[in-house]
Amino acid sequence: IYIYIDILLQGYFQTLFACIERLLAFLNVKNLVLPAAEEAESIWTEKFGFSKMKLDQVYVLLNFLQVRI
C-alpha cells in the first residue's frame, strides 16, 4: 500500500508542477529563481531541468533588484 500512495503522491506533484508551468508561461515568465540548499540542488537540476546560476548572473539579478549584499 505504501508504494501505491507514493506513486499517487508523485502523480499529484507532477500535475501540480505542470499547472505551475502553464501559469508561468501564461504570465510570460522567462526566468524563475529558486534558492536551494546544496543537498537539494541535484533534485532541481536532474529531475526538473533547472540550471545553477553563474555568479555573474546572480550579481546582475541583484543589481536589477537593487538588493545589497
Side-chain angles (χ1 to χ4, degrees):
I1 292 175
Y2 173 76
I3 294 173
Y4 173 75
I5 292 172
D6 190 39
I7 291 170
L8 183 65
L9 292 176
Q10 183 180 19
Y12 283 136
F13 181 78
Q14 288 174 344
T15 301
L16 175 63
F17 196 75
C19 288
I20 292 169
E21 280 185 310
R22 285 194 299 274
L23 176 62
L24 293 174
F26 174 77
L27 296 172
N28 292 320
V29 173
K30 302 294 181 206
N31 296 298
L32 181 63
V33 179
L34 300 171
E38 285 187 39
E39 300 83 22
E41 184 180 323
S42 64
I43 294 170
W44 290 106
T45 57
E46 295 170 16
K47 298 244 182 207
F48 301 117
F50 283 82
S51 59
K52 187 171 181 176
M53 290 178 70
K54 296 179 181 143
L55 194 54
D56 60 327
Q57 293 173 310
V58 173
Y59 289 132
V60 169
L61 179 64
L62 291 175
N63 285 332
F64 177 76
L65 296 174
Q66 298 179 354
V67 174
R68 303 285 183 217
I69 297 177

